[in-house]
Amino acid sequence: MASLTFTAASLSDTDRLGAALVQVLPDCFTVGLVGPLGAGKTRLVQAMAAAIGLPREHVVSPTFVLCQHYEARRTIYHMDAYRLRDDDEFLGLGPEEYFAAPALTVVEWADRVERCLPPDRLMIEVEVLGDDARQFQLTPHGEIACQALRELQTRLTSGLAAT
Ligand SMILES: Nc1ncnc2c1ncn2[C@@H]1O[C@H](COP(=O)(O)OP(=O)(O)OP(=O)(O)O)[C@@H](O)[C@H]1O
Ligand SMILES: [Mg+2]
């Protein structure tokens, strides 16, 4: 499957995308977020956290702690590669353990460490279109990601994501 483009006109659309991602992505799965400062990468993770039952305020960019752990109806690991010097520094955080855990792992600035990510993963590129408008381009790598993206597309177009 090719990429899927989702245009968010507002924060509530981003919340809808985050909720749909939590519904379709399995455990032991990794999402890579790419996009400039302030694009909305952390805001999308907040939407995912809200969908597992955590207050959005719990989610901040893990720039300094390097990996946050959110646990509610599901588990999310939230990493940020922005301040890492190179692949070795990222690998030093032991990401393999997170990738293999029964959790969703989300990595901001994933383009910086893409070679270290699992081969089956979903890459999401965030682009700023306007004050509240964002474009999310979702590109699947591997069969699990393709299957999840097909389901995501169905949910987003049928409105099921909001339920
Ligand atoms: N539709 C939208 N989706 C996501 N964020 C939005 C949207 N509309 C406005 N925003 C705002 O854009 C900002 C995105 O900031 P955020 O911290 O998520 O960026 P980031 O990509 O994580 O940046 P950084 O690389 O610095 O971590 C927030 O202030 C958020 O409220
Ligand atoms: Mg961020």
Side-chain angles (χ1 to χ4, degrees), residues 30-109:
T30 299
V31 178
L33 299 179
V34 179
L37 287 169
K41 301 180 295 296
T42 300
R43 187 57 185 75
L44 181 62
V45 182
Q46 289 179 338
M48 294 171 72
I52 66 165
L54 271 185
R56 269 211 318 263
E57 309 76 66
H58 281 221
V59 177
V60 290
S61 257
T63 306
F64 294 103
V65 289
L66 300 168
C67 185
Q68 311 260 21
H69 174 195
Y70 313 124
E71 193 144 6
R73 285 192 289 271
R74 294 185 65 178
T75 303
I76 296 176
Y77 292 114
H78 181 195
M79 307 180 79
D80 191 326
Y82 183 64
R83 285 179 190 276
L84 300 181
R85 273 188 313 273
D86 51 27
D87 287 358
D88 282 346
E89 196 175 350
F90 182 67
L91 292 173
L93 303 175
E96 309 282 349
E97 212 172 301
Y98 302 124
F99 300 152
L104 273 176
T105 300
V106 186
V107 184
E108 294 194 38
W109 292 96

